[in-house]
Amino acid sequence: MNHTLVLTSLVAILVSGAVCAAPYDQLEALGEALFHDENLSLNRTQSCATCHDPEFAFVDPRETDARRAVSLGDDGVSLGDRNTPTASYAAFVPEFGRKWDGVAMGGLFWDGRANSLEEQAGGPPLNPVEMGMSDKVSVVARLKENPDYVISMEALFAPGVLQNAETGYDAMTTAIAAFERTDVFASFDSKYDRYLRGKVEFSKEEELGRVLFFSEQFTNCAECHQLRRSQTHPKETFTNYEYHNIGVPVNVAAREVNGVKGSTDKGLLQHPDVTDLDQMGKFRTPTLRNVAVTGPYMHNGVFDDLRTVVLFYNKYNSKDPKRQINPETGEKWRVPEFMHSLSVEELTDGPALDDKRIDALVAFLKTLTDARYEHLLD
């Protein structure tokens, strides 16, 4: 027997096995690679991370003809009509459903049409205004171009998983969702979290803002932006995931450049399971985690500054003529896109706030910024 030949063959087999080992042996690692892969868009210019940049609290930092109100698509021309929401803490969004009183809650996207992170991850690649791929077959073909994906997906899912467009696409979205459920997206290490743990103290202004935020007497913030019963719950996401029409005006500037001038955004009514016209113009209450670094604000990015948002809410309770002026335009606040579904009770429950209290609320909201993004604060 030629022992040298046998030894050489064994070495070759071992080396071959090492090469064929899955480059991504954890679902989360595969998801991270897919999240950043621009090859999954038609022109190979855009990934999930393009519009949900991990360095900018998972929002889109790119400037467009519509400022940063809406995002630019893979074709370099198309602009969306809604502001890209942060993907941070998205793993905590429950499935779309109804509460005991019939109020809608949960679901991903501004209108809740995706029930899970997996469903949400499957939307942008096939959206012609976003990543622009024509169908799942085309996306899976791109996955098959990458041998690391092929090896890893067959190891993590099943042999031949990419031979079928449905199973291959599902594998992709499952991996991306697994990555989005990691602590990278939800670190719970903001100044507020450190305050709860007794690691830091709030300034007097931040403490006043905290008291006002949770107060039932002086503001109504917590009614929509508190999920847990306890004010000191360590996993508070600062949203009850319900839907409201808060009277946001049309973003005229964005509509001037994105090609949908004259149309309306029906909000929750665009959910395939919602037909009640009273739900028109309602949008899911977003998390306030990282809110100070994830502007522009509202579902259409109509406001640039966080203080403007607080003033916008305050206008419902103030009779001061100055409070009826949008500080960003110097003109009166524009009328809501839809009036009939306005959440009047929630918006008018509370007294008008003076500048000191408005500034205190903004100061508190800044404490909800994850530690890795604190350098983005003004």
Side-chain angles (χ1 to χ4, degrees):
M1 178 180 292
N2 189 331
H3 294 285
T4 301
L5 180 60
V6 172
L7 182 59
T8 302
S9 299
L10 287 172
V11 170
I13 291 172
L14 290 173
V15 171
S16 175
V19 171
C20 291
Y24 305 107
D25 58 357
Q26 297 291 325
L27 198 57
E28 294 81 1
L30 173 61
E32 182 175 11
L34 293 166
F35 189 86
H36 288 86
D37 193 345
E38 295 179 347
N39 289 316
L40 300 180
S41 62
L42 182 61
N43 297 302
R44 302 177 189 268
T45 68
Q46 189 162 303
S47 69
C48 301
T50 303
C51 296
H52 298 285
D53 193 326
E55 298 303 315
F56 292 89
F58 297 99
V59 295
D60 192 344
R62 299 174 298 165
E63 291 289 338
T64 72
D65 290 342
R67 309 182 335 277
R68 293 197 300 160
V70 295
S71 292
L72 186 67
D74 169 73
D75 61 6
V77 178
S78 298
L79 290 168
D81 196 46
R82 291 178 178 174
N83 180 252
T84 300
T86 178
S88 59
Y89 297 89
F92 293 88
V93 180
E95 289 189 4
F96 181 81
R98 302 279 183 175
K99 298 175 66 176
W100 62 271
D101 54 0
V103 173
M105 68 171 293
L108 279 299
F109 295 117
W110 283 104
D111 54 23
R113 65 185 185 276
N115 270 328
S116 65
L117 288 175
E118 288 82 357
E119 284 188 37
Q120 189 279 328
L126 304 180
N127 189 318
V129 182
E130 297 183 43
M131 296 170 75
M133 297 296 280
S134 58
D135 50 38
K136 294 180 180 180
V137 173
S138 301
V139 177
V140 173
R142 293 287 180 89
L143 294 174
K144 291 164 70 174
E145 291 177 358
N146 188 326
D148 287 349
Y149 290 164
V150 176
I151 295 170
S152 300
M153 286 185 167
E154 293 205 345
L156 291 168
F157 295 96
V161 65
L162 294 179
Q163 298 308 309
N164 178 280
E166 290 296 329
T167 59
Y169 202 83
D170 287 348
M172 178 192 73
T173 60
T174 298
I176 293 173
F179 173 52
E180 291 182 313
R181 291 190 177 98
T182 65
D183 292 345
V184 173
F185 288 77
S187 57
F188 289 102
D189 64 354
S190 67
K191 184 175 183 179
Y192 172 77
D193 297 297
R194 301 194 298 273
Y195 164 86
L196 291 183
R197 296 166 189 152
K199 301 295 184 181
V200 298
E201 294 183 357
F202 275 175
S203 68
K204 290 183 179 180
E205 186 177 48
E206 291 167 341
E207 179 61 19
L208 174 59
R210 185 191 69 82
V211 172
L212 290 170
F213 182 91
F214 289 108
S215 169
E216 295 181 1
Q217 179 181 0
F218 295 107
T219 76
N220 203 25
C221 303
E223 181 169 344
C224 296
H225 286 286
Q226 181 181 352
L227 180 65
R228 317 289 183 172
R229 290 187 177 183
S230 171
Q231 295 181 11
T232 58
H233 195 288
K235 295 292 185 180
E236 177 59 60
T237 52
F238 292 94
T239 170
N240 62 7
Y241 304 107
E242 292 181 4
Y243 290 78
H244 289 283
N245 173 6
I246 59 173
V248 176
V250 171
N251 189 335
V252 176
R255 290 270 173 91
E256 289 285 349
V257 296
N258 68 4
V260 293
K261 184 179 179 181
S263 65
T264 58
D265 189 337
K266 297 180 176 61
L268 183 56
L269 195 62
Q270 294 186 191
H271 190 291
D273 295 332
V274 177
T275 58
D276 182 0
L277 293 179
D278 287 339
Q279 306 307 309
M280 186 182 295
K282 294 184 178 182
F283 296 88
R284 180 168 56 79
T285 303
T287 179
L288 295 182
R289 291 275 180 177
N290 293 317
V291 67
V293 296
T294 52
Y297 301 100
M298 306 307 187
H299 68 274
N300 56 7
V302 69
F303 301 137
D304 287 325
D305 190 72
L306 184 57
R307 192 175 193 273
T308 301
V309 176
V310 179
L311 287 169
F312 171 77
Y313 282 107
N314 188 56
K315 76 182 179 72
Y316 288 104
N317 297 310
S318 177
K319 296 181 180 179
D320 185 346
K322 295 180 181 178
R323 295 302 195 199
Q324 303 308 312
I325 302 297
N326 178 348
E328 294 182 6
T329 64
E331 301 175 352
K332 286 186 177 182
W333 301 98
R334 290 198 181 105
V335 298
E337 185 165 19
F338 298 100
M339 287 293 296
H340 74 280
S341 58
L342 199 65
S343 295
V344 176
E345 182 178 346
E346 290 83 357
L347 291 168
T348 58
D349 184 14
L353 301 175
D354 59 19
D355 283 335
K356 179 181 178 180
R357 293 184 174 188
I358 288 171
D359 290 338
L361 280 171
V362 173
F364 170 67
L365 292 173
K366 289 183 177 181
T367 72
L368 304 182
T369 307
D370 290 344
R372 68 181 290 198
Y373 302 124
E374 287 178 343
H375 71 281
L376 298 176
L377 292 169
D378 294 335

